[in-house]
Amino acid sequence: MYLNEAARLLLPDVATGDPLDRKAPSWLTPPLPGAGDEAPGAARPMTGSVDGRFFEAHHTVDDDGHLVWWLIDCTDRHLAETALRDARTRSEVLSEVSSALLSTLNVPRCMEVAASMAAEHLAEAAVLIAPPQGRRHPLTYAHRGGAVTQEQRKVDVSGVPGLGEALQGFPPVPARWIDPNSIPAWVIPDGFAGPVGSVIVTPLPGHGVPAGALILLRSSTERAFTEGEEVFARLFAARAGAALSAARLYTEQTAITATLMRDLLPPALQHVHGVEYAGSYRASKDHEQVGGDFYDVHPGADPSQETLVVLGDVAGKGLDAAVLTGKIRNTLQALLPLAEDHERILNLLNGALLSSHHTRFATLVLASVRRRAGRTELRLTSAGHPPPLIVRTDGTVEEVPTKGTLVGALPAVRAQTVETVLAPGETCLLYTDGVIEARGGPLGDDFFGERRLERALSDCAGMPAEAVVERVQMLATQWLGGGRHDDMAVVAVSAPRPGSLTAVNGHPHRIDGRRGR
């Protein structure tokens, strides 16, 4: 086969009549179709490039029986198809990156995933620089096929062109402006092959504040980053920055929640001045730790002073109710010097609630406890709360006849204080209505009720405070089954029997003050 005059438009260095197999590109010199081959017009066209242009070669037979090859310039279509494939590939990569990054809210793990995927899809190596913590920057190094390492170092970010600006959230500098030879040694991960040949420095945009910066490295043996790859790197960095920002926000909120929760959680109760105290709390939802029920024990300065026990129930449940319980507990803490007058404390608390933006009310029961002459003396005051119950040594259960109005609902609180005495082995139980209103039973719609609670307490005669609390919560929970319920809080105040063993600071201890064996 030979080249004709028209071929010179494509191959100006050839002459008419030159053999095709000697002058044309190799992809244009196919073997002649054999007798058993498909008809030339049905054969699949061959493709290739000539002088930077992309062509399809088709062959057919002319009227004289000669095999004629004709070429179609498909450069624009080829470029569009290539761009479309690249766009699809990058879209798939970005989707994979987003899924991987958003699958964790742990900041170090998120940094590790971002650096690793950057090294895998964008460059030979990647370095993720987080905002400084003090004078040190958290650094995450990754190189293709190698392990990811993390450390905190004091580094000079001004030594990398554009890095200082990227950490402040400014747009990236073009890769062509960065001299690879000026990259400091701390940027290059261990195991990186060869000298640096091309660098990209791009910011990691966050939610309002920068999430850090990403450095991408290629060795001198690799091709330099193209403009399209720089754009893709910025898209990758945007997703990584959003994921890192979300992880940091979650971490900060978790820390704040944990700090606040420590003040909202009910305290651990123990022996105070020879009297046993035990408490238990169960929120209305199993995944919550706090709610509208609360209790506190404020020990007296010495055994001659009264210990104030507070148990309350704020209307509602969940976080909103828990916030108000925190305010009530803090207010009562400030009113401790006035603890001798229960009604005065309740009215001062009532005024504080009425003057706040909260529209919720609360019920409370106060118990002032003091051990004297071998007896445990109690002063009990209810403000709209279920009355306390006392378990005597013979199993008799008595209802303390104290009553009063709600706190935070009326201009003034009126309450009646009742004094009583616990003999050794007797217990006073304070509880919220979530216990007696626990709905369950055989048909799932009966209240646990006061009578069942009293029968349960009758079997607890002589038990330690902790055992009484555990039994009440266990029976109420069994009654509920898997049904819904309100917050439930229980506090027991027990006068221990002389010589009974307890635990104080992890060591056996007798109530009469002698060390147990």
Side-chain angles (χ1 to χ4, degrees), residues 290-364:
V290 296
D293 290 5
F294 65 96
Y295 58 81
D296 272 313
V297 173
H298 304 282
D302 56 66
S304 66
Q305 302 294 315
E306 290 181 325
T307 292
L308 181 65
V309 181
V310 182
L311 181 137
D313 181 1
V314 172
K317 45 185 169 287
L319 183 59
D320 289 340
V323 171
L324 185 55
T325 67
K327 179 173 183 176
I328 293 175
R329 293 171 68 185
N330 291 336
T331 304
L332 290 172
Q333 179 82 29
L335 295 175
L336 284 179
L338 307 176
E340 291 184 0
D341 190 340
H342 287 183
E343 190 168 357
R344 186 180 180 189
I345 286 181
L346 292 172
N347 274 287
L348 290 172
L349 176 61
N350 185 67
L353 294 183
L354 290 176
S355 63
S356 71
H357 67 279
H358 294 283
T359 58
R360 299 174 183 268
F361 59 86
T363 66
L364 284 91

Side-chain angles (χ1 to χ4, degrees), residues 230-255:
E230 289 189 63
V231 173
F232 182 53
R234 290 197 291 271
L235 294 174
F236 177 96
R239 283 160 173 75
L244 278 170
S245 185
R248 288 199 180 96
L249 181 61
Y250 174 80
T251 301
E252 292 172 2
Q253 290 179 339
T254 302

Side-chain angles (χ1 to χ4, degrees), residues 25-30 43-50 53-59 69-75 77-78 81 85:
S26 58
W27 66 271
L28 272 177
T29 56
R44 184 177 180 181
M46 295 178 295
T47 58
S49 60
V50 177
R53 306 291 292 176
F54 192 82
F55 293 89
E56 282 186 356
H58 300 261
H59 52 271
W69 291 90
W70 47 281
L71 277 63
I72 299 176
D73 189 339
C74 301
T75 303
R77 190 187 72 187
H78 176 73
E81 290 175 346
R85 284 195 300 271

